[in-house]
Amino acid sequence: MQRVTIRNPNELQLGEARVFQFMRKGRNASGFLIRHHEGLFAYYNRCCHWPVQLDLDDGQFYDERIDRIVCKTHGACYLVDSGYCDAGPCTGAQLEAYTVELSEDSATVLIPDEADPEAASRK
């Protein structure tokens, strides 16, 4: 299990995100922590339609006009609180979500190892 700590998550406003790095299958990968109303959600920064980063490296994931995470490559739209794609080329798919543990001044994102049976069942 990898643990990524993100400081001061309470500073994030609605739709703001912080990108973080972790190792996936021996390579650098990125995820993001995003605020949606009172909650914080963490996802793998990878579109379900095509293996590209959702934000095209600008750290902007959220479109407030439609209240969704949006892939900037093909326009797939994901519900922020579940990662479910409800519009676009991968409708019905779901972003890979990670557990977020909160403490007073940080959030810890828990990323399962690929050998973790729960991680394998989500693929």
Side-chain angles (χ1 to χ4, degrees), residues 61-90:
F61 298 87
Y62 181 73
D63 185 328
E64 66 182 302
R65 297 168 297 171
I66 58 173
D67 191 32
R68 300 286 188 275
I69 295 167
V70 177
C71 175
K72 292 185 176 175
T73 301
H74 295 107
C77 299
Y78 301 90
L79 300 174
V80 180
D81 60 353
S82 67
Y84 178 80
C85 180
D86 66 347
C90 53

Side-chain angles (χ1 to χ4, degrees), residues 53-118:
Q53 290 186 345
L54 294 162
D55 65 334
L56 295 178
D57 274 335
D58 73 359
Q60 304 294 314
F61 298 87
Y62 181 73
D63 185 328
E64 66 182 302
R65 297 168 297 171
I66 58 173
D67 191 32
R68 300 286 188 275
I69 295 167
V70 177
C71 175
K72 292 185 176 175
T73 301
H74 295 107
C77 299
Y78 301 90
L79 300 174
V80 180
D81 60 353
S82 67
Y84 178 80
C85 180
D86 66 347
C90 53
T91 300
Q94 193 160 352
L95 295 174
E96 184 174 316
Y98 303 121
T99 300
V100 178
E101 293 181 344
L102 298 174
S103 66
E104 193 171 308
D105 64 347
S106 67
T108 301
V109 179
L110 305 177
I111 302 166
D113 295 329
E114 280 77 23
D116 184 330
E118 286 184 21

Side-chain angles (χ1 to χ4, degrees), residues 2 22-26 96 111-117 119-120 123:
Q2 294 180 65
F22 63 99
M23 293 302 291
R24 182 180 179 90
K25 298 180 182 178
E96 184 174 316
I111 302 166
D113 295 329
E114 280 77 23
D116 184 330
K123 292 181 181 175

